[in-house]
Amino acid sequence: DNGEKHFKHLPIVMFMCRFSLLLLDLEEHYFEPHTAYNLTGRGPEANRQTSGSLKICSKSIIFEPDDAVKPILKVLSSYYLSPSLVAVFLGEKKVTFQLEVPGKTEDVVQILLQLHRASCLDKQGDQTAMVSKIKQISINHNFFQHVTENPHMECVAEMVSPLVTNAGHVCITDCNLYFQPMNSYPDLVVQIGLHSVRRIYKRRHGLRPLGLEVFCTENDLCSDIYLKFYSTKERDELYYYIATFLENHIAECTAESYMLQWQRGHISNYQYLLHLNNLADRSVNDLSQYPVFPWVISDYSSTQMDLLNPASFRDLSKPIGALNTERLERLLERYRDMPETRFMYGSHYSSPGYVLFYLVRVAPEHMLCLQNGRFDQADRMFNSVGETWKNCLEGGTDFKELIPEFYGSDSSFLKNLLGLNLGRRQGGGRVENVELPPWASDPDDFLEKMRLALESQYVSEHLHEWIDLIFGYKQRGSEAVAAHNVFHPLTYEGGVDCDSIEDPDQKIAMLTQILEFGQTPRQLFVTPHPQRITPRFHNLSATPSLSSSELSPSSPSMESFEDLTEESKKMAWSNMNKLALQSRHKIHKEAVTGIAVTLSGDSIFSTSQDSTLKMFSKENGLQRSMSFSNMALSSCLMLPDDKIVVCSSWDNNVYFYSIAYGRRQDTLMGHDDAVSHICWRDDKLYTASWDSTVKIWKCVADDISSNKRTQFDLLAEFEHEAGVNTLDLSPAGTLLATGTKEGTLTLWDIANPLPLNQLTCHSGKIHKVAFSPDSRHVLSVGEDSCLVVTDVQTGMLLATVHAEQEQRCFCWDGNTVLSGGMSGDLSVWDLLSSKVIHKIPAHSGAVTCMWMNEQCSTIITGGVDKQIILWKPEY
């Protein structure tokens, strides 16, 4: 009748506890339960009582009968309240609930009654205000574990789990993180000891930077708590406070660091993909941003899996939608006819619906929540691995990838262990366990072979191509168009600004669309991802029987990933305290400021405050002397082709010297004050200046070493509040570190001229900054005689080492530092103990510059004493 649409009779799917927050609508809040009786019946049976629990929510009330046979009742309508009765009007019908203890609940329910009346009148703004008012109740400090705990900050937040958020209060003390749900559901309080935290991640939630996820174990999939805040400022304050407790634990790594570990085989393909998902805001607590893994196998019909046959594998260089040429052409025709903003695929490769498609057998309640209390049609369920792959290749709207469970060890998602009634297919058969490929004997065997495929030679050689699509430079822009990798604009970060939508109903509608449609991961790489240095597997048969543990990097069945360069570096640094002087050269009239060396090591170039560039060799001494201006040269570098030396000058210019032609070839006039330091990477020149800027220039010539003028285009400019004295690029060339005259260290993403992190870590000028080889840390030295280690990801100071004297320059391997001080000595530091382990007499004045080759087997230093000294570690 007129009132039936207001009821939702929901199947019993909560096997331990029938009520769940999954019964609530998006942005709806559950406040508290009341013991009550549903008064039903007419005539002689009037006021027949059904006992149960009445759940008061912000948009509805939910009655859960004590009798598990009777359905849960959710009521969405207006009602009135007496001291003991709640009457709900459904058109001309009235449903009445009697409260067991009316005197104690009347005040609370009166407040909630106003909320319901506002909701029923469609005054969403009034409802939002009422929810906010109720949330302002402060946290109960009686939950503190210790009476001596001191609160650091408190704020309102929501705890996030799949398809659910639960509002409450966050309090962080000097010992613990507390979350107290305002409804005390499912627990009165969640408590996490700060010293047990292993990793923390900032998260996007609904494409907004409001989330924070905390891990207390090494499990990369399951966190201990996921919080959504109402402001980025509160989220960041909590993040940085917790980060101060992580110094003695595993620090969060950067994408660059994991990339280097993966390249050399220190972590598996599976581990690397988990790390990338974590860094790209993917979480198992957020189904719209669930971790995404690739389909790697394309053969689901053979009786045996052949990992040596490339035809067994999917083309990882293409997105799912581009694997079928005929389907792709149809999609491109539609794409070309679309108005702006165009997209190629109407559905995403990862969404809550796709995740639950795979997990319906272990998370049926979540599927019912997503689909309004019903399972999908039986023929559209996850019935067969082979059928699902075929539909991804041929279906007009199916472009889904896989989830981590396909490469894990728990096969329960492939089995109907709960005995769910998932319907019957058109052929009459019931939907039970997932049908597996012929090459898998059972679900566990299927997962084991999927893991073998993921770690196989073919996938290891091509996984970087898939990473380019999902996390890398082919995710957006012209590269995405060329790769046929363009999805709906709402799936990308920045595609919509929800905070600018003032109408609450429109905002909820937009959030619903974003959350249900799926979200593209945060972009981690803006340049092509390097290929893995792949091992060679021995004795790998067509029917693999190796376990995943046998594929570990330490296995004797694969060759070592470590090359001779890495071994030589380790050997050199272990003997850095045994530097032997090779030769001295006094060829300048003022302090030496920079050193550059050809790849062969035959020619050495040096710049000086005497305004000259000198070329010499250990055997033949001085060979050339060049002067570009009457002002000091500040630094120099050798271009990769070994034909051009680039020099920076105090006269605001950068000079390019051709070794082959023996003359100045080009002059770059790009600053308003002295150019203090320069770097070169991928045909781009990075210049730091005392005019408070760092600029990136692109060389547009085909061959800069040719005897022609070169054009340089300004690509980007990074502004500072003081003169920039030094800069360094991360090994992958995606991050930039700069140090100013006033002691400020700034970390930049090359693709964005806004600072990632900025902190004043020195009380005077910063002389030099340098990334560690794994890009996790930056070391800086300054006028204050301090060596400072900064964490790249968090921008936190990890260590400050006070030296006896000012250090002017250094080289380091991430743990050991070789530095040059004001006295002229070289010092070898162990950063873990913050001590000098060896001192080497070198110059008669301050050491001003230092160069080290890639193998770390040759060191060259320059000083105020106008000398250049060549060193070698003794083995």
Side-chain angles (χ1 to χ4, degrees), residues 631 649-654 668-676 687-695 697 717 719:
M631 299 190 71
S649 174
W650 285 6
D651 67 1
N652 311 354
N653 296 330
V654 177
L668 175 62
M669 296 176 284
H671 286 279
D672 298 324
D673 204 339
V675 182
S676 55
T687 58
S689 172
W690 292 348
D691 65 5
S692 304
T693 66
V694 168
K695 296 181 179 181
W697 309 84
E717 182 172 339
E719 296 184 352

Side-chain angles (χ1 to χ4, degrees), residues 364-379:
E365 65 275 22
H366 291 81
M367 177 63 85
L368 292 170
C369 172
L370 195 67
Q371 299 199 154
N372 296 317
R374 294 178 176 84
F375 292 121
D376 204 348
Q377 293 181 11
D379 285 294

Side-chain angles (χ1 to χ4, degrees), residues 328-361:
L328 176 62
E329 189 53 43
R330 294 194 300 269
L331 292 169
L332 291 178
E333 286 181 12
R334 186 189 67 175
Y335 172 76
R336 297 184 193 105
D337 294 337
M338 276 186 183
E340 296 293 341
T341 308
R342 299 182 294 177
F343 54 90
M344 296 177 185
Y345 309 112
S347 61
H348 205 253
Y349 51 77
S350 176
S351 69
Y354 287 161
V355 173
L356 294 175
F357 169 84
Y358 293 127
L359 299 180
V360 63
R361 290 168 176 80

Side-chain angles (χ1 to χ4, degrees), residues 153-208:
M153 69 169 287
E154 296 183 21
C155 64
V156 180
E158 296 177 16
M159 187 166 68
V160 178
S161 55
L163 298 183
V164 166
T165 61
N166 194 18
H169 293 86
V170 169
C171 179
I172 190 164
T173 71
D174 51 359
C175 298
N176 293 291
L177 169 67
Y178 297 96
F179 177 78
Q180 181 182 347
M182 66 178 179
N183 50 31
S184 301
Y185 180 88
D187 301 300
L188 293 177
V189 68
V190 177
Q191 178 254 326
I192 294 175
L194 296 181
H195 288 284
S196 67
V197 175
R198 308 295 288 180
R199 296 185 320 282
I200 51 176
Y201 293 95
K202 293 180 181 179
R203 296 288 190 218
R204 290 178 304 161
H205 190 274
L207 295 180
R208 293 178 293 176

Side-chain angles (χ1 to χ4, degrees), residues 810-868:
F810 67 87
C811 293
W812 75 315
D813 70 343
N815 297 306
T816 307
V817 180
L818 176 67
S819 67
M822 290 294 289
S823 68
D825 291 342
L826 301 180
S827 300
V828 182
W829 300 78
D830 175 20
L831 287 181
L832 293 177
S833 62
S834 301
K835 294 179 180 179
V836 175
I837 56 178
H838 194 68
K839 276 191 177 183
I840 306 163
H843 294 266
S844 58
V847 185
T848 51
C849 57
M850 183 181 297
W851 176 90
M852 183 181 289
N853 67 345
E854 184 182 358
Q855 293 78 21
C856 310
S857 58
T858 299
I859 297 94
I860 305 176
T861 58
V864 170
D865 61 2
K866 312 164 193 176
Q867 290 195 91
I868 297 170

Side-chain angles (χ1 to χ4, degrees), residues 73-105:
L73 183 66
K74 182 173 183 179
V75 185
L76 309 169
S77 186
S78 59
Y79 65 91
Y80 74 88
L81 180 77
S82 73
S84 61
L85 297 177
V86 177
V88 182
F89 291 96
L90 305 170
E92 298 179 355
K93 281 189 173 185
K94 182 176 76 172
V95 179
T96 306
F97 301 97
Q98 183 175 25
L99 303 176
E100 186 177 66
V101 189
K104 294 183 179 180
T105 60

